[in-house]
Amino acid sequence: MVAKLGVTRSRLWNAAIQKRVAMTASMLGSMKSVKLMGLTEIIGSSIQAQRSRDIDAQKNLRRLVICMNIAGVIPAYYAPVFTFVIYAIVAKLRGSDMLSTDQAFTSLAIITLVAGPASSLLFALPRAASGMAAVGRIQAFLLAPSWNDQRDAVGKLSPGQIRALDFMKPGDSKAKDVMQDSMAVFMDHATIRPSPSSEPALDDISLKIKTKTTAMILGPVGSGKTMLAKAILGELPLDNGGEIAVCSKQMAYCSQTPWLLNISIQNSI
């Protein structure tokens, strides 16, 4: 029961720490944008509030750890006293002989040998609970659904067919079929979320990017440009009804915060 309670509280505390660290890292990575938009005090207050929630979640775990530490100290320091006091009371009530010196030292040695491992076990319970909580988070990650690439593949058309697309309406079913066969990137009524449980970052987006052309996406900070790029890469899920098709799933992408492996530059590229 104590271990189960410790696992639950450790899991809540670890989740609070992870959220605060993620918020802090995101803020530090976008410090220039935060200062330009005048959001320094708002972001600081938000992180401080998350730190307070982190401490509140930690309090419940610390109370449990204190109780376990007290319970671990009791056998080592008070077990001999309680044992001899109880024996003396019982012996007096029954009229039995008291312990001799040899019996007292032998009993004390046995009690010490038993109380030591018992105290170690009680001290180890909080650490075991924290370890079980961490293992539970790793297990949840490993059991999560695999990444599913929802993008479709498109082909190529002749230049004449590509020019004919300019005279077709995007809602036309024939135009949709033709665009899917001619575009480098084709997106139809796509709703994009950073995660399945979050609010949509981009809602009902439709676009077409022709092959052998240069496309630029412009917009203010936080408008969803990176979300759109990641959706084209297939890294973000789509709501039901949306569609993204690309001519090739092998793409080069340069992120604002690149993830570099501990290998050579040539191998990273």
Side-chain angles (χ1 to χ4, degrees), residues 153-206:
V154 298
K156 296 182 180 180
L157 292 181
S158 63
Q161 290 173 315
I162 293 176
R163 288 193 296 270
L165 292 173
D166 295 331
F167 301 95
M168 297 182 182
K169 297 181 180 180
D172 189 356
S173 59
K174 294 183 179 179
K176 178 179 177 181
D177 295 336
V178 173
M179 284 188 291
Q180 287 182 342
D181 292 333
S182 63
M183 296 294 99
V185 177
F186 171 78
M187 187 176 295
D188 183 57
H189 298 289
T191 298
I192 304 168
R193 303 173 185 267
S195 63
S197 59
S198 61
E199 294 295 328
L202 297 172
D203 188 20
D204 196 18
I205 300 298
S206 298

Side-chain angles (χ1 to χ4, degrees), residues 42-233:
I42 297 176
I43 298 297
S45 301
S46 178
I47 294 177
Q48 182 61 36
Q50 182 60 37
R51 174 58 179 167
S52 300
R53 288 189 289 270
D54 179 9
I55 295 175
D56 292 337
Q58 184 184 19
K59 288 180 181 178
N60 296 327
L61 178 62
R62 293 304 181 189
R63 293 191 186 99
L64 182 62
V65 171
I66 291 173
C67 293
M68 295 303 301
N69 289 336
I70 293 175
V73 169
I74 290 176
Y77 291 95
Y78 297 101
V81 177
F82 291 155
T83 302
F84 289 138
V85 168
I86 293 173
Y87 178 83
I89 295 174
V90 173
K92 186 175 182 179
L93 293 176
R94 294 182 178 180
S96 302
D97 297 334
M98 295 295 179
L99 289 175
S100 63
T101 304
D102 294 338
Q103 292 175 334
F105 277 104
T106 302
S107 301
L108 181 61
I110 294 174
I111 293 171
T112 303
L113 290 175
V114 174
S119 298
S120 300
L121 177 61
L122 293 175
F123 281 125
L125 283 178
R127 297 180 181 179
S130 299
M132 292 175 63
V135 171
R137 290 169 61 85
I138 296 175
Q139 183 181 13
F141 174 76
L142 295 177
L143 295 178
S146 301
W147 174 65
N148 183 23
D149 191 351
Q150 298 177 331
R151 299 174 299 171
D152 296 327
V154 298
K156 296 182 180 180
L157 292 181
S158 63
Q161 290 173 315
I162 293 176
R163 288 193 296 270
L165 292 173
D166 295 331
F167 301 95
M168 297 182 182
K169 297 181 180 180
D172 189 356
S173 59
K174 294 183 179 179
K176 178 179 177 181
D177 295 336
V178 173
M179 284 188 291
Q180 287 182 342
D181 292 333
S182 63
M183 296 294 99
V185 177
F186 171 78
M187 187 176 295
D188 183 57
H189 298 289
T191 298
I192 304 168
R193 303 173 185 267
S195 63
S197 59
S198 61
E199 294 295 328
L202 297 172
D203 188 20
D204 196 18
I205 300 298
S206 298
L207 62 84
K208 58 179 180 178
I209 301 177
K210 298 180 181 180
T211 56
K212 299 181 181 181
T213 60
T214 300
M216 300 180 65
I217 302 173
L218 304 178
V221 176
S223 60
K225 301 184 297 296
T226 302
M227 293 292 176
L228 182 61
K230 289 186 176 181
I232 295 175
L233 291 172

